[in-house]
Amino acid sequence: MESVRKANQRLRNYPVLLAKCSVAAAAYATCVTTDLNVAHRVCEKEFQQFQLCLQKAAREMGTKL
């Protein structure tokens, strides 16, 4: 049950991680929602920035994603 407890703790950290990366998340969301027919990898740059931000924030918090 230890793995379940750790997974639940990581899930509880997601709102904090998203709050720390709100600017990158908003940029990615804006890119994705500009067109109804989103093509593959159209928003790759924004996604990479968002992903890097999440990884950095998780590292600073001492947690995994």
Side-chain angles (χ1 to χ4, degrees), residues 5-38:
R5 186 188 63 75
K6 286 182 180 182
N8 284 333
Q9 181 59 43
R10 282 195 308 273
L11 286 174
R12 280 188 226 107
N13 289 335
Y14 268 69
V16 176
L17 293 171
L18 289 173
K20 288 184 177 191
C21 296
S22 61
V23 174
Y28 179 58
T30 300
C31 180
V32 170
T33 59
T34 56
D35 189 9
L36 292 176
N37 298 319
V38 179

PDB file of all heavy atoms in Angstrom, residues 5-38:
ATOM      1  N   ARG A   5       0.018   5.135  -1.509  1.00  0.00           N
ATOM      2  CA  ARG A   5       0.148   6.363  -0.727  1.00  0.00           C
ATOM      3  C   ARG A   5       1.036   7.375  -1.447  1.00  0.00           C
ATOM      4  O   ARG A   5       0.710   8.560  -1.526  1.00  0.00           O
ATOM      5  CB  ARG A   5       0.728   6.056   0.653  1.00  0.00           C
ATOM      6  CG  ARG A   5       0.750   7.262   1.590  1.00  0.00           C
ATOM      7  CD  ARG A   5       1.495   6.989   2.883  1.00  0.00           C
ATOM      8  NE  ARG A   5       2.914   6.696   2.689  1.00  0.00           N
ATOM      9  CZ  ARG A   5       3.842   7.627   2.400  1.00  0.00           C
ATOM     10  NH1 ARG A   5       3.504   8.874   2.245  1.00  0.00           N
ATOM     11  NH2 ARG A   5       5.106   7.275   2.259  1.00  0.00           N
ATOM     12  N   LYS A   6       2.139   6.904  -2.020  1.00  0.00           N
ATOM     13  CA  LYS A   6       3.041   7.798  -2.746  1.00  0.00           C
ATOM     14  C   LYS A   6       2.371   8.368  -3.993  1.00  0.00           C
ATOM     15  O   LYS A   6       2.535   9.545  -4.312  1.00  0.00           O
ATOM     16  CB  LYS A   6       4.319   7.057  -3.124  1.00  0.00           C
ATOM     17  CG  LYS A   6       5.244   6.823  -1.957  1.00  0.00           C
ATOM     18  CD  LYS A   6       6.511   6.132  -2.410  1.00  0.00           C
ATOM     19  CE  LYS A   6       7.451   5.899  -1.248  1.00  0.00           C
ATOM     20  NZ  LYS A   6       8.709   5.263  -1.703  1.00  0.00           N
ATOM     21  N   ALA A   7       1.623   7.538  -4.700  1.00  0.00           N
ATOM     22  CA  ALA A   7       0.914   8.006  -5.891  1.00  0.00           C
ATOM     23  C   ALA A   7      -0.126   9.057  -5.521  1.00  0.00           C
ATOM     24  O   ALA A   7      -0.267  10.065  -6.212  1.00  0.00           O
ATOM     25  CB  ALA A   7       0.258   6.835  -6.608  1.00  0.00           C
ATOM     26  N   ASN A   8      -0.845   8.831  -4.444  1.00  0.00           N
ATOM     27  CA  ASN A   8      -1.835   9.813  -3.997  1.00  0.00           C
ATOM     28  C   ASN A   8      -1.173  11.129  -3.618  1.00  0.00           C
ATOM     29  O   ASN A   8      -1.706  12.206  -3.903  1.00  0.00           O
ATOM     30  CB  ASN A   8      -2.643   9.273  -2.816  1.00  0.00           C
ATOM     31  CG  ASN A   8      -3.675   8.267  -3.245  1.00  0.00           C
ATOM     32  OD1 ASN A   8      -4.145   8.303  -4.382  1.00  0.00           O
ATOM     33  ND2 ASN A   8      -4.034   7.363  -2.359  1.00  0.00           N
ATOM     34  N   GLN A   9      -0.013  11.066  -2.999  1.00  0.00           N
ATOM     35  CA  GLN A   9       0.704  12.289  -2.631  1.00  0.00           C
ATOM     36  C   GLN A   9       1.143  13.051  -3.883  1.00  0.00           C
ATOM     37  O   GLN A   9       1.037  14.274  -3.936  1.00  0.00           O
ATOM     38  CB  GLN A   9       1.927  11.967  -1.759  1.00  0.00           C
ATOM     39  CG  GLN A   9       2.699  13.191  -1.324  1.00  0.00           C
ATOM     40  CD  GLN A   9       1.848  14.164  -0.538  1.00  0.00           C
ATOM     41  OE1 GLN A   9       1.074  13.781   0.326  1.00  0.00           O
ATOM     42  NE2 GLN A   9       1.970  15.426  -0.855  1.00  0.00           N
ATOM     43  N   ARG A  10       1.625  12.330  -4.892  1.00  0.00           N
ATOM     44  CA  ARG A  10       2.013  12.992  -6.143  1.00  0.00           C
ATOM     45  C   ARG A  10       0.806  13.667  -6.786  1.00  0.00           C
ATOM     46  O   ARG A  10       0.918  14.785  -7.302  1.00  0.00           O
ATOM     47  CB  ARG A  10       2.643  11.992  -7.106  1.00  0.00           C
ATOM     48  CG  ARG A  10       4.076  11.669  -6.774  1.00  0.00           C
ATOM     49  CD  ARG A  10       4.794  10.981  -7.919  1.00  0.00           C
ATOM     50  NE  ARG A  10       4.121   9.819  -8.467  1.00  0.00           N
ATOM     51  CZ  ARG A  10       4.249   8.583  -8.006  1.00  0.00           C
ATOM     52  NH1 ARG A  10       5.032   8.328  -6.985  1.00  0.00           N
ATOM     53  NH2 ARG A  10       3.603   7.587  -8.568  1.00  0.00           N
ATOM     54  N   LEU A  11      -0.341  13.017  -6.757  1.00  0.00           N
ATOM     55  CA  LEU A  11      -1.549  13.622  -7.326  1.00  0.00           C
ATOM     56  C   LEU A  11      -1.964  14.879  -6.562  1.00  0.00           C
ATOM     57  O   LEU A  11      -2.445  15.840  -7.158  1.00  0.00           O
ATOM     58  CB  LEU A  11      -2.696  12.608  -7.334  1.00  0.00           C
ATOM     59  CG  LEU A  11      -2.587  11.520  -8.381  1.00  0.00           C
ATOM     60  CD1 LEU A  11      -3.692  10.496  -8.183  1.00  0.00           C
ATOM     61  CD2 LEU A  11      -2.649  12.099  -9.774  1.00  0.00           C
ATOM     62  N   ARG A  12      -1.768  14.872  -5.249  1.00  0.00           N
ATOM     63  CA  ARG A  12      -2.082  16.062  -4.453  1.00  0.00           C
ATOM     64  C   ARG A  12      -1.151  17.225  -4.780  1.00  0.00           C
ATOM     65  O   ARG A  12      -1.501  18.367  -4.565  1.00  0.00           O
ATOM     66  CB  ARG A  12      -2.009  15.744  -2.959  1.00  0.00           C
ATOM     67  CG  ARG A  12      -3.246  15.061  -2.448  1.00  0.00           C
ATOM     68  CD  ARG A  12      -3.225  14.949  -0.934  1.00  0.00           C
ATOM     69  NE  ARG A  12      -3.623  13.603  -0.604  1.00  0.00           N
ATOM     70  CZ  ARG A  12      -2.823  12.642  -0.159  1.00  0.00           C
ATOM     71  NH1 ARG A  12      -1.562  12.877   0.090  1.00  0.00           N
ATOM     72  NH2 ARG A  12      -3.290  11.441   0.075  1.00  0.00           N
ATOM     73  N   ASN A  13       0.030  16.942  -5.294  1.00  0.00           N
ATOM     74  CA  ASN A  13       0.986  17.992  -5.650  1.00  0.00           C
ATOM     75  C   ASN A  13       0.674  18.646  -6.993  1.00  0.00           C
ATOM     76  O   ASN A  13       1.178  19.738  -7.265  1.00  0.00           O
ATOM     77  CB  ASN A  13       2.409  17.424  -5.698  1.00  0.00           C
ATOM     78  CG  ASN A  13       2.933  17.091  -4.332  1.00  0.00           C
ATOM     79  OD1 ASN A  13       2.512  17.652  -3.328  1.00  0.00           O
ATOM     80  ND2 ASN A  13       3.871  16.154  -4.278  1.00  0.00           N
ATOM     81  N   TYR A  14      -0.118  18.032  -7.836  1.00  0.00           N
ATOM     82  CA  TYR A  14      -0.373  18.561  -9.173  1.00  0.00           C
ATOM     83  C   TYR A  14      -0.964  19.967  -9.175  1.00  0.00           C
ATOM     84  O   TYR A  14      -0.525  20.790  -9.983  1.00  0.00           O
ATOM     85  CB  TYR A  14      -1.243  17.598  -9.979  1.00  0.00           C
ATOM     86  CG  TYR A  14      -0.409  16.633 -10.792  1.00  0.00           C
ATOM     87  CD1 TYR A  14       0.339  15.648 -10.160  1.00  0.00           C
ATOM     88  CD2 TYR A  14      -0.342  16.709 -12.166  1.00  0.00           C
ATOM     89  CE1 TYR A  14       1.126  14.771 -10.875  1.00  0.00           C
ATOM     90  CE2 TYR A  14       0.433  15.836 -12.898  1.00  0.00           C
ATOM     91  CZ  TYR A  14       1.163  14.877 -12.243  1.00  0.00           C
ATOM     92  OH  TYR A  14       1.950  14.013 -12.963  1.00  0.00           O
ATOM     93  N   PRO A  15      -1.930  20.306  -8.326  1.00  0.00           N
ATOM     94  CA  PRO A  15      -2.426  21.684  -8.349  1.00  0.00           C
ATOM     95  C   PRO A  15      -1.328  22.713  -8.045  1.00  0.00           C
ATOM     96  O   PRO A  15      -1.299  23.790  -8.650  1.00  0.00           O
ATOM     97  CB  PRO A  15      -3.506  21.703  -7.263  1.00  0.00           C
ATOM     98  CG  PRO A  15      -3.958  20.292  -7.168  1.00  0.00           C
ATOM     99  CD  PRO A  15      -2.732  19.466  -7.437  1.00  0.00           C
ATOM    100  N   VAL A  16      -0.419  22.384  -7.168  1.00  0.00           N
ATOM    101  CA  VAL A  16       0.680  23.289  -6.844  1.00  0.00           C
ATOM    102  C   VAL A  16       1.613  23.417  -8.048  1.00  0.00           C
ATOM    103  O   VAL A  16       2.033  24.525  -8.398  1.00  0.00           O
ATOM    104  CB  VAL A  16       1.453  22.794  -5.606  1.00  0.00           C
ATOM    105  CG1 VAL A  16       2.651  23.663  -5.321  1.00  0.00           C
ATOM    106  CG2 VAL A  16       0.534  22.726  -4.399  1.00  0.00           C
ATOM    107  N   LEU A  17       1.923  22.305  -8.678  1.00  0.00           N
ATOM    108  CA  LEU A  17       2.785  22.329  -9.855  1.00  0.00           C
ATOM    109  C   LEU A  17       2.154  23.142 -10.983  1.00  0.00           C
ATOM    110  O   LEU A  17       2.830  23.941 -11.638  1.00  0.00           O
ATOM    111  CB  LEU A  17       3.077  20.906 -10.337  1.00  0.00           C
ATOM    112  CG  LEU A  17       3.909  20.034  -9.414  1.00  0.00           C
ATOM    113  CD1 LEU A  17       3.929  18.600  -9.923  1.00  0.00           C
ATOM    114  CD2 LEU A  17       5.313  20.573  -9.287  1.00  0.00           C
ATOM    115  N   LEU A  18       0.865  22.942 -11.198  1.00  0.00           N
ATOM    116  CA  LEU A  18       0.176  23.695 -12.249  1.00  0.00           C
ATOM    117  C   LEU A  18       0.129  25.182 -11.930  1.00  0.00           C
ATOM    118  O   LEU A  18       0.251  26.019 -12.832  1.00  0.00           O
ATOM    119  CB  LEU A  18      -1.231  23.143 -12.462  1.00  0.00           C
ATOM    120  CG  LEU A  18      -1.295  21.770 -13.117  1.00  0.00           C
ATOM    121  CD1 LEU A  18      -2.731  21.253 -13.133  1.00  0.00           C
ATOM    122  CD2 LEU A  18      -0.735  21.813 -14.518  1.00  0.00           C
ATOM    123  N   ALA A  19      -0.031  25.524 -10.669  1.00  0.00           N
ATOM    124  CA  ALA A  19      -0.051  26.935 -10.283  1.00  0.00           C
ATOM    125  C   ALA A  19       1.310  27.580 -10.531  1.00  0.00           C
ATOM    126  O   ALA A  19       1.383  28.732 -10.962  1.00  0.00           O
ATOM    127  CB  ALA A  19      -0.446  27.072  -8.821  1.00  0.00           C
ATOM    128  N   LYS A  20       2.377  26.836 -10.276  1.00  0.00           N
ATOM    129  CA  LYS A  20       3.716  27.376 -10.504  1.00  0.00           C
ATOM    130  C   LYS A  20       3.996  27.563 -11.998  1.00  0.00           C
ATOM    131  O   LYS A  20       4.849  28.360 -12.367  1.00  0.00           O
ATOM    132  CB  LYS A  20       4.777  26.459  -9.891  1.00  0.00           C
ATOM    133  CG  LYS A  20       4.793  26.506  -8.386  1.00  0.00           C
ATOM    134  CD  LYS A  20       5.916  25.669  -7.829  1.00  0.00           C
ATOM    135  CE  LYS A  20       5.952  25.788  -6.320  1.00  0.00           C
ATOM    136  NZ  LYS A  20       7.172  25.205  -5.761  1.00  0.00           N
ATOM    137  N   CYS A  21       3.310  26.829 -12.829  1.00  0.00           N
ATOM    138  CA  CYS A  21       3.530  26.891 -14.282  1.00  0.00           C
ATOM    139  C   CYS A  21       2.317  27.471 -15.001  1.00  0.00           C
ATOM    140  O   CYS A  21       2.042  27.121 -16.160  1.00  0.00           O
ATOM    141  CB  CYS A  21       3.845  25.501 -14.811  1.00  0.00           C
ATOM    142  SG  CYS A  21       5.370  24.830 -14.154  1.00  0.00           S
ATOM    143  N   SER A  22       1.611  28.356 -14.371  1.00  0.00           N
ATOM    144  CA  SER A  22       0.370  28.867 -14.950  1.00  0.00           C
ATOM    145  C   SER A  22       0.594  29.636 -16.245  1.00  0.00           C
ATOM    146  O   SER A  22      -0.227  29.562 -17.161  1.00  0.00           O
ATOM    147  CB  SER A  22      -0.369  29.738 -13.936  1.00  0.00           C
ATOM    148  OG  SER A  22       0.436  30.850 -13.574  1.00  0.00           O
ATOM    149  N   VAL A  23       1.704  30.347 -16.359  1.00  0.00           N
ATOM    150  CA  VAL A  23       1.968  31.110 -17.581  1.00  0.00           C
ATOM    151  C   VAL A  23       2.204  30.159 -18.760  1.00  0.00           C
ATOM    152  O   VAL A  23       1.630  30.347 -19.838  1.00  0.00           O
ATOM    153  CB  VAL A  23       3.176  32.051 -17.380  1.00  0.00           C
ATOM    154  CG1 VAL A  23       3.558  32.727 -18.679  1.00  0.00           C
ATOM    155  CG2 VAL A  23       2.863  33.075 -16.304  1.00  0.00           C
ATOM    156  N   ALA A  24       3.038  29.151 -18.547  1.00  0.00           N
ATOM    157  CA  ALA A  24       3.303  28.176 -19.611  1.00  0.00           C
ATOM    158  C   ALA A  24       2.050  27.374 -19.937  1.00  0.00           C
ATOM    159  O   ALA A  24       1.791  27.067 -21.110  1.00  0.00           O
ATOM    160  CB  ALA A  24       4.435  27.238 -19.200  1.00  0.00           C
ATOM    161  N   ALA A  25       1.259  27.042 -18.924  1.00  0.00           N
ATOM    162  CA  ALA A  25       0.016  26.301 -19.154  1.00  0.00           C
ATOM    163  C   ALA A  25      -0.965  27.131 -19.974  1.00  0.00           C
ATOM    164  O   ALA A  25      -1.621  26.615 -20.880  1.00  0.00           O
ATOM    165  CB  ALA A  25      -0.613  25.899 -17.825  1.00  0.00           C
ATOM    166  N   ALA A  26      -1.059  28.413 -19.673  1.00  0.00           N
ATOM    167  CA  ALA A  26      -1.964  29.296 -20.410  1.00  0.00           C
ATOM    168  C   ALA A  26      -1.518  29.448 -21.862  1.00  0.00           C
ATOM    169  O   ALA A  26      -2.355  29.464 -22.776  1.00  0.00           O
ATOM    170  CB  ALA A  26      -2.033  30.657 -19.736  1.00  0.00           C
ATOM    171  N   ALA A  27      -0.224  29.553 -22.092  1.00  0.00           N
ATOM    172  CA  ALA A  27       0.287  29.667 -23.457  1.00  0.00           C
ATOM    173  C   ALA A  27      -0.030  28.401 -24.254  1.00  0.00           C
ATOM    174  O   ALA A  27      -0.449  28.479 -25.416  1.00  0.00           O
ATOM    175  CB  ALA A  27       1.789  29.921 -23.434  1.00  0.00           C
ATOM    176  N   TYR A  28       0.153  27.245 -23.648  1.00  0.00           N
ATOM    177  CA  TYR A  28      -0.154  25.985 -24.323  1.00  0.00           C
ATOM    178  C   TYR A  28      -1.658  25.867 -24.582  1.00  0.00           C
ATOM    179  O   TYR A  28      -2.078  25.492 -25.686  1.00  0.00           O
ATOM    180  CB  TYR A  28       0.349  24.804 -23.489  1.00  0.00           C
ATOM    181  CG  TYR A  28       0.056  23.462 -24.085  1.00  0.00           C
ATOM    182  CD1 TYR A  28       0.507  23.124 -25.358  1.00  0.00           C
ATOM    183  CD2 TYR A  28      -0.684  22.516 -23.389  1.00  0.00           C
ATOM    184  CE1 TYR A  28       0.235  21.891 -25.912  1.00  0.00           C
ATOM    185  CE2 TYR A  28      -0.953  21.277 -23.935  1.00  0.00           C
ATOM    186  CZ  TYR A  28      -0.491  20.971 -25.197  1.00  0.00           C
ATOM    187  OH  TYR A  28      -0.770  19.744 -25.744  1.00  0.00           O
ATOM    188  N   ALA A  29      -2.470  26.198 -23.596  1.00  0.00           N
ATOM    189  CA  ALA A  29      -3.921  26.120 -23.762  1.00  0.00           C
ATOM    190  C   ALA A  29      -4.401  27.070 -24.855  1.00  0.00           C
ATOM    191  O   ALA A  29      -5.274  26.714 -25.649  1.00  0.00           O
ATOM    192  CB  ALA A  29      -4.611  26.449 -22.444  1.00  0.00           C
ATOM    193  N   THR A  30      -3.823  28.248 -24.913  1.00  0.00           N
ATOM    194  CA  THR A  30      -4.197  29.210 -25.949  1.00  0.00           C
ATOM    195  C   THR A  30      -3.864  28.662 -27.330  1.00  0.00           C
ATOM    196  O   THR A  30      -4.661  28.769 -28.264  1.00  0.00           O
ATOM    197  CB  THR A  30      -3.469  30.547 -25.729  1.00  0.00           C
ATOM    198  OG1 THR A  30      -3.846  31.061 -24.456  1.00  0.00           O
ATOM    199  CG2 THR A  30      -3.825  31.556 -26.801  1.00  0.00           C
ATOM    200  N   CYS A  31      -2.698  28.073 -27.460  1.00  0.00           N
ATOM    201  CA  CYS A  31      -2.288  27.500 -28.745  1.00  0.00           C
ATOM    202  C   CYS A  31      -3.235  26.378 -29.170  1.00  0.00           C
ATOM    203  O   CYS A  31      -3.660  26.325 -30.322  1.00  0.00           O
ATOM    204  CB  CYS A  31      -0.861  26.977 -28.649  1.00  0.00           C
ATOM    205  SG  CYS A  31      -0.257  26.248 -30.186  1.00  0.00           S
ATOM    206  N   VAL A  32      -3.574  25.508 -28.240  1.00  0.00           N
ATOM    207  CA  VAL A  32      -4.421  24.356 -28.563  1.00  0.00           C
ATOM    208  C   VAL A  32      -5.840  24.787 -28.909  1.00  0.00           C
ATOM    209  O   VAL A  32      -6.471  24.210 -29.798  1.00  0.00           O
ATOM    210  CB  VAL A  32      -4.428  23.344 -27.394  1.00  0.00           C
ATOM    211  CG1 VAL A  32      -5.473  22.272 -27.595  1.00  0.00           C
ATOM    212  CG2 VAL A  32      -3.058  22.718 -27.239  1.00  0.00           C
ATOM    213  N   THR A  33      -6.338  25.812 -28.254  1.00  0.00           N
ATOM    214  CA  THR A  33      -7.735  26.200 -28.451  1.00  0.00           C
ATOM    215  C   THR A  33      -7.947  27.222 -29.559  1.00  0.00           C
ATOM    216  O   THR A  33      -9.090  27.619 -29.802  1.00  0.00           O
ATOM    217  CB  THR A  33      -8.332  26.751 -27.146  1.00  0.00           C
ATOM    218  OG1 THR A  33      -7.568  27.869 -26.716  1.00  0.00           O
ATOM    219  CG2 THR A  33      -8.359  25.689 -26.067  1.00  0.00           C
ATOM    220  N   THR A  34      -6.895  27.642 -30.249  1.00  0.00           N
ATOM    221  CA  THR A  34      -7.082  28.636 -31.311  1.00  0.00           C
ATOM    222  C   THR A  34      -7.771  28.061 -32.536  1.00  0.00           C
ATOM    223  O   THR A  34      -8.401  28.791 -33.287  1.00  0.00           O
ATOM    224  CB  THR A  34      -5.736  29.259 -31.739  1.00  0.00           C
ATOM    225  OG1 THR A  34      -4.852  28.226 -32.137  1.00  0.00           O
ATOM    226  CG2 THR A  34      -5.141  30.081 -30.638  1.00  0.00           C
ATOM    227  N   ASP A  35      -7.650  26.767 -32.757  1.00  0.00           N
ATOM    228  CA  ASP A  35      -8.231  26.144 -33.940  1.00  0.00           C
ATOM    229  C   ASP A  35      -8.973  24.881 -33.525  1.00  0.00           C
ATOM    230  O   ASP A  35      -8.499  24.133 -32.678  1.00  0.00           O
ATOM    231  CB  ASP A  35      -7.125  25.798 -34.937  1.00  0.00           C
ATOM    232  CG  ASP A  35      -7.657  25.353 -36.281  1.00  0.00           C
ATOM    233  OD1 ASP A  35      -8.878  25.459 -36.524  1.00  0.00           O
ATOM    234  OD2 ASP A  35      -6.844  24.885 -37.105  1.00  0.00           O
ATOM    235  N   LEU A  36     -10.119  24.645 -34.114  1.00  0.00           N
ATOM    236  CA  LEU A  36     -10.883  23.450 -33.787  1.00  0.00           C
ATOM    237  C   LEU A  36     -10.219  22.186 -34.312  1.00  0.00           C
ATOM    238  O   LEU A  36     -10.380  21.109 -33.749  1.00  0.00           O
ATOM    239  CB  LEU A  36     -12.301  23.556 -34.348  1.00  0.00           C
ATOM    240  CG  LEU A  36     -13.198  24.611 -33.703  1.00  0.00           C
ATOM    241  CD1 LEU A  36     -14.533  24.671 -34.422  1.00  0.00           C
ATOM    242  CD2 LEU A  36     -13.400  24.299 -32.234  1.00  0.00           C
ATOM    243  N   ASN A  37      -9.453  22.294 -35.377  1.00  0.00           N
ATOM    244  CA  ASN A  37      -8.780  21.146 -35.978  1.00  0.00           C
ATOM    245  C   ASN A  37      -7.289  21.216 -35.648  1.00  0.00           C
ATOM    246  O   ASN A  37      -6.473  21.590 -36.479  1.00  0.00           O
ATOM    247  CB  ASN A  37      -8.974  21.131 -37.494  1.00  0.00           C
ATOM    248  CG  ASN A  37     -10.437  21.002 -37.863  1.00  0.00           C
ATOM    249  OD1 ASN A  37     -11.154  20.234 -37.239  1.00  0.00           O
ATOM    250  ND2 ASN A  37     -10.876  21.751 -38.845  1.00  0.00           N
ATOM    251  N   VAL A  38      -6.949  20.824 -34.451  1.00  0.00           N
ATOM    252  CA  VAL A  38      -5.563  20.868 -34.019  1.00  0.00           C
ATOM    253  C   VAL A  38      -4.791  19.741 -34.695  1.00  0.00           C
ATOM    254  O   VAL A  38      -5.154  18.574 -34.593  1.00  0.00           O
ATOM    255  CB  VAL A  38      -5.452  20.730 -32.482  1.00  0.00           C
ATOM    256  CG1 VAL A  38      -3.996  20.758 -32.046  1.00  0.00           C
ATOM    257  CG2 VAL A  38      -6.224  21.828 -31.801  1.00  0.00           C
TER     258      VAL A  38
END
